[in-house]
Amino acid sequence: MNREYAAMLKLTGRPCLVVGGGTVAERKIAALLEAGADVTVISPSVTPAIRSWAETGGLSWLSFHYGTPEIIKNYELEGSEKDPVNKGGTVFPDLSPYVILFAATNNREVNDLLRREADKLGKFVNVADQPDTGNMTVPAVVHRGKLTLTVSTSGASPALAAEIRRELESAYGPEYVPYMDFLSELRETMRERIPDTKKRQELLRRVPAWNVPERIQAGDFESWRKEIMHMLQETSSPEEFTAAYVSIGSSFGKDSNPSGNDG
Ligand SMILES: C[C@@]1(CC(=O)O)c2cc3[nH]c(cc4nc(cc5[nH]c(cc(n2)[C@H]1CCC(=O)O)[C@@](C)(CC(=O)O)[C@@H]5CCC(=O)O)C(CC(=O)O)=C4CCC(=O)O)c(CCC(=O)O)c3CC(=O)O
Ligand SMILES: NC(=O)C1=CN([C@@H]2O[C@H](COP(=O)(O)OP(=O)(O)OC[C@H]3O[C@@H](n4cnc5c(N)ncnc54)[C@H](O)[C@@H]3O)[C@@H](O)[C@H]2O)C=CC1
């Protein structure tokens, strides 16, 4: 099986190269900047958004064509009207500093050249127009604080990936931002107070039944959070902690209405 491997990358401060400056490049760059990557863009022309990121120091823009003069000459011979090639300024830089590369021009040969150069160096490369030739594709993403939801169709239908992303955005709304912070805080507390891993796991699996997102939407979350965290902190042994914790669940079982809609 050659299934794609899903992973999360930390790109803070890591050099990433985007070749091309159109709408596809812009979408990839926006996500790279949100990840804190050190972005270099090579493209003779860029979208207004890319230009303004360059002007405010968010990224480095090299206003050149990537590629060798031969490739650009061939491209001219193929007669693209869409992006007439500027006779001057081509660059063919060393790619070794970059962690990942994006071939996002509208010129197949240029994208293919970057992909081949990246392959020589064993780099990860995303190819916009012939994704199967590259070794990395970008999923549709929903960020909710520490929660990240991603959708990939392995290139079968980016439009479906975007559609499912929109569905996820409404199913997992902004309430998941404080919910994730709460889960993180709770888990930290549990790691301090419940040394037994199995026991801790068993307790943590009960949290979804507390319907915290509904509580956040109903607006009574903050006082509830303070109350239960206080109650848990007051306990003096793992047993007491566990008993207090289990009581949280039973205080609003199936009979109660955590959505708060009953007024
Ligand atoms: C393989 C992949 C490589 C990669 O770029 O990483 C790729 C390739 C191609 N996309 C094309 C077209 C479109 N791409 C989008 C949108 C997105 N494309 C994204 C990812 C990917 N696109 C990777 C696979 C992901 C997967 O399969 O799940 C998203 C998810 C993420 C992102 O780009 O950030 C982002 C949505 C973000 C969001 O909204 O959440 C739309 C919709 C729109 O614009 O509204 C259209 C038009 C509709 C359509 O064609 O479906 C074409 C044809 C070009 C042509 O026809 O010329 C190719 C090339 C080919 O298929 O050969
Ligand atoms: N992967 C994806 O998500 C999608 C991919 N595509 C494909 O991606 C490609 C790019 O799409 P768009 O951004 O919409 O195109 P676009 O035409 O808006 O932008 C192309 C960019 O490439 C630059 N460019 C051209 N030659 C270059 C060179 N030698 N070096 C550096 N930059 C160069 C141009 O200046 C321009 O900024 C198209 O081939 C399209 O088929 C299209 C839609 C989605």
Side-chain angles (χ1 to χ4, degrees):
M1 192 183 289
N2 292 312
R3 181 175 278 169
E4 281 159 314
Y5 182 78
M8 305 293 285
L9 304 181
K10 282 199 199 296
L11 290 178
T12 316
R14 309 296 298 270
C16 298
L17 180 69
V18 178
V19 175
T23 52
V24 171
E26 179 184 316
R27 198 165 64 228
K28 265 58 176 187
I29 292 167
L32 289 170
L33 294 179
E34 281 178 33
D38 177 2
V39 177
T40 298
V41 178
I42 297 177
S43 183
S45 71
V46 294
T47 64
I50 300 175
R51 182 180 293 272
S52 88
W53 287 323
E55 282 165 2
T56 55
L59 54 77
S60 310
W61 171 29
L62 306 176
S63 181
F64 293 102
H65 284 90
Y66 173 81
T68 63
E70 292 72 30
I71 280 180
I72 288 172
K73 192 156 153 266
N74 288 342
Y75 180 46
E76 275 184 306
L77 291 175
E78 282 168 20
S80 167
E81 298 297 321
K82 201 175 164 199
D83 184 44
V85 173
N86 164 342
K87 296 282 188 278
T90 76
V91 284
F92 194 56
D94 174 19
L95 303 180
S96 52
Y98 300 104
V99 186
I100 53 178
L101 302 128
F102 295 80
T105 81
N106 53 355
N107 180 333
R108 177 164 289 213
E109 275 188 274
V110 170
N111 290 346
D112 198 54
L113 175 68
L114 181 71
R115 197 265 309 157
R116 280 185 279 127
E117 292 300 310
D119 276 348
K120 281 188 205 162
L121 297 170
K123 299 280 182 184
F124 279 105
V125 58
N126 173 270
V127 185
D129 60 338
Q130 295 189 89
D132 289 346
T133 67
N135 51 15
M136 179 184 74
T137 60
V138 178
V141 186
V142 179
H143 289 289
R144 295 288 183 243
K146 294 185 172 79
L147 176 66
T148 303
L149 304 169
T150 61
V151 186
S152 170
T153 65
S154 302
S157 173
L160 177 67
E163 176 59 25
I164 296 175
R165 187 257 307 156
R166 285 187 284 272
E167 286 170 19
L168 291 172
E169 268 171 355
S170 40
Y172 298 86
E175 67 278 8
Y176 275 76
V177 179
Y179 182 32
M180 296 317 294
D181 289 337
F182 166 71
L183 287 176
S184 181
E185 180 191 19
L186 182 67
R187 188 158 176 271
E188 270 316 300
T189 307
M190 306 268 290
R191 284 158 84 104
E192 284 162 21
R193 304 296 300 272
I194 308 283
D196 184 279
T197 311
K198 272 227 164 76
K199 186 75 202 157
R200 208 163 58 221
Q201 284 174 358
E202 194 262 304
L203 291 178
L204 282 167
R205 287 195 190 110
R206 293 168 177 247
V207 181
W210 297 355
N211 294 326
V212 180
E214 285 88 338
R215 215 166 252 289
I216 294 169
Q217 284 174 317
D220 67 347
F221 169 67
E222 202 38 47
S223 55
W224 175 82
R225 185 191 69 83
K226 283 205 180 105
E227 196 184 304
I228 67 154
M229 291 312 289
H230 180 74
M231 178 178 85
L232 292 173
Q233 264 137 22
E234 292 287 275
T235 62
S236 55
S237 67
E239 292 70 30
E240 257 188 56
F241 185 100
T242 303
Y245 187 97
V246 169
S247 78
I248 300 170
S250 55
S251 67
F252 46 93
K254 289 219 161 18
D255 299 342
S256 73
N257 181 0
S259 69
N261 290 338
D262 58 357

